[in-house]
Amino acid sequence: MEKVLVTGGAGFIGSHLCDLLIAKGFFVYCLDNLLTGKRGNIKSLESNPNFKFMNVDLIKNRIDIPEVNYIFHLASPASPADFKNLSEEIALVNSLGTLNLLKLAVDKKAKFLMASTSEVYGDPEEHPQKESYRGNVNSFGPRSCYDESKRFAETLVYIYRKKFNLDARLIRIFNTYGPRMRKNDGRVVSNFINQAILERPLTVYGNGEQTRSFCFVSDMVTGIFKAMFSKGTEGEIFNLGNPEEYKMIDLANKIKKMTESNSKITYSDLPEDDPSRRCPDILKAKEILNWEPKVKMDEGLQKTIEYYRSI
Ligand code: NAD
Ligand code: UDP
């Protein structure tokens, strides 16, 4: 049986990826220090003999695994709300943590996938963003701990491919949402839905004209799986996301309507360096991975609303 390691496996996206890999017949090592993830996300897997949870901090600990064929590196807090309090943890898990894992991959001759982010494009001046776009990133600001450490992680992957012939690929994940996103995560979809359910004001930052494109988590993990296992992915970078673009004010109104909420909408300052537009060009993923998102925004939001109502 082939063995995979998922770092950040008790997190939002990581736990859905573990579900998928177990369903596909792999043995799954799920590594997480539970900084922003939780055991509850993997509760249904813990009794499975093909699943092993390891409470390990990638920054501090040696990773003790006898054999592994594929490594998916997803460990890193991802919400801008965490960029202030977890800045050092974020910078280090993407730098030192990635280095530790790359060494493990070389040692075990495992194939490697690095979960990077659309944040490597910063506040993009090219629209939509293609993988070839080099970005517009601030190295000295509130988002730098995340943006620059992900960029550095990409560089480490480049170095390890060249130096050790490591079989590796990068994915750049765009805004993803769905069940198991922390309720108090601070990201826009979880904020708006929970505010609407509780009849509290929906907190739009800035004038709400800024855009994002949202991918439902089941589509995302299918894309991540294909980026590892499809032919022709070695050494490549793939944008993974849903190219349907929304203004934040329109998202707020949509969620208000879907939850039948009487909440007001309030406006406050736009956070520093908040990107004004973001939308992936996914042509490369379509062509090489034969992948594109299938879940419509209304369907994905409905499932997410039901999840938050249930917890
Ligand atoms: P998440 O916070 O739910 O998951 C991250 C997981 O990593 C958590 O379970 C956390 O406990 C774990 N972790 C953090 N530091 C660790 C360490 N030092 N050692 C071991 N485990 C550690 O976030 P998510 O949204 O599921 O994001 C997963 C990955 O996807 C991240 O790498 C993130 O950068 C990337 N990503 C996510 C999005 C998104 O919209 N959700 C967008 C772009 C990129
Ligand atoms: N945002 C908002 N209200 C909130 C949370 C976020 O208007 O309660 C905005 C935020 O300023 C950004 C967009 O929604 O423009 C997406 O923010 P999120 O934190 O979800 O992710 P980002 O794409 O910025 O990493």
Side-chain angles (χ1 to χ4, degrees):
M1 179 180 253
E2 291 200 297
K3 297 189 167 59
V4 304
L5 167 63
V6 179
T7 76
F12 160 50
I13 301 178
S15 62
H16 287 277
L17 181 62
C18 289
D19 286 342
L20 179 68
L21 290 163
I22 286 287
K24 297 270 188 191
F26 291 90
F27 184 97
V28 176
Y29 290 105
C30 167
L31 183 154
D32 205 295
N33 68 349
L34 305 177
L35 181 63
T36 51
K38 59 174 189 198
R39 284 298 268 269
N41 287 343
I42 48 169
K43 204 166 78 191
S44 63
L45 297 175
E46 295 227 41
S47 59
N48 190 313
N50 295 332
F51 182 82
K52 185 171 167 20
F53 174 68
M54 302 165 75
N55 191 338
V56 169
D57 185 337
L58 263 184
I59 301 168
K60 297 187 189 135
N61 304 114
R62 218 178 68 84
I63 306 146
D64 195 11
I65 296 182
E67 190 197 332
V68 58
N69 308 102
Y70 302 95
I71 298 174
F72 293 85
H73 179 24
L74 275 75
S76 169
S79 169
D82 289 329
F83 294 173
K84 192 165 169 217
N85 293 330
L86 299 178
S87 55
E88 190 172 351
E89 288 83 349
I90 291 170
L92 293 183
V93 73
N94 287 309
S95 52
L96 276 182
T98 303
L99 181 67
N100 284 342
L101 272 181
L102 286 166
K103 287 182 174 162
L104 179 78
V106 170
D107 186 36
K108 304 293 179 191
K109 299 189 171 49
K111 294 187 179 178
F112 193 86
L113 177 145
M114 172 73 212
S116 186
T117 166
S118 54
E119 282 283 324
V120 300
Y121 302 123
D123 188 2
E125 288 165 329
E126 176 181 304
H127 202 82
Q129 294 83 54
K130 288 194 186 74
E131 290 85 350
S132 55
Y133 177 50
R134 293 185 182 183
N136 173 36
V137 184
N138 181 3
S139 67
F140 197 68
R143 296 175 91 97
S144 318
C145 59
Y146 186 67
D147 301 11
E148 292 292 4
S149 67
K150 287 286 189 185
R151 288 172 70 95
F152 183 63
E154 293 195 359
T155 308
L156 283 175
V157 172
Y158 183 89
I159 293 170
Y160 268 64
R161 281 190 64 240
K162 293 288 169 194
K163 202 167 162 184
F164 300 105
N165 279 322
L166 180 70
D167 185 315
R169 71 275 300 124
L170 304 177
I171 53 164
R172 293 186 180 144
I173 300 177
F174 284 65
N175 297 61
T176 301
Y177 72 101
R180 298 188 194 154
M181 237 178 146
R182 277 178 301 150
K183 196 173 171 177
N184 56 355
D185 183 283
R187 285 183 267 194
V188 69
V189 174
S190 44
N191 272 8
F192 285 177
I193 293 179
N194 286 294
Q195 290 161 346
I197 290 175
L198 296 169
E199 301 285 348
R200 294 194 180 136
L202 269 62
T203 53
V204 169
Y205 303 158
N207 60 11
E209 291 291 310
Q210 72 272 31
T211 70
R212 294 293 187 274
S213 314
F214 297 97
C215 185
F216 191 64
V217 67
S218 60
D219 280 331
M220 181 52 60
V221 296
T222 309
I224 297 176
F225 183 87
K226 287 189 165 191
M228 179 68 100
F229 295 108
S230 302
K231 280 208 180 86
T233 68
E234 201 289 308
E236 296 294 337
I237 305 176
F238 298 96
N239 283 340
L240 295 181
N242 191 324
E244 216 176 282
E245 194 180 349
Y246 287 87
K247 290 181 180 172
M248 292 310 101
I249 183 63
D250 295 339
L251 179 70
N253 283 316
K254 190 180 194 44
I255 288 176
K256 248 174 69 99
K257 199 165 163 204
M258 289 182 73
T259 51
E260 296 177 354
S261 169
N262 295 312
S263 292
K264 287 189 299 201
I265 292 180
T266 60
Y267 295 87
S268 58
D269 288 347
L270 192 68
E272 194 181 337
D273 289 341
D274 197 287
S276 54
R277 281 188 85 183
R278 184 186 287 155
C279 181
D281 180 318
I282 57 164
L283 187 64
K284 191 169 166 187
K286 276 187 187 163
E287 284 181 355
I288 300 182
L289 309 180
N290 191 23
W291 173 86
E292 65 183 309
K294 300 256 186 297
V295 180
K296 296 268 170 278
M297 189 74 176
D298 279 15
E299 186 189 343
L301 281 177
Q302 196 52 50
K303 287 187 172 149
T304 314
I305 292 167
E306 279 160 23
Y307 168 75
Y308 286 124
R309 284 201 201 276
S310 76
I311 58 170

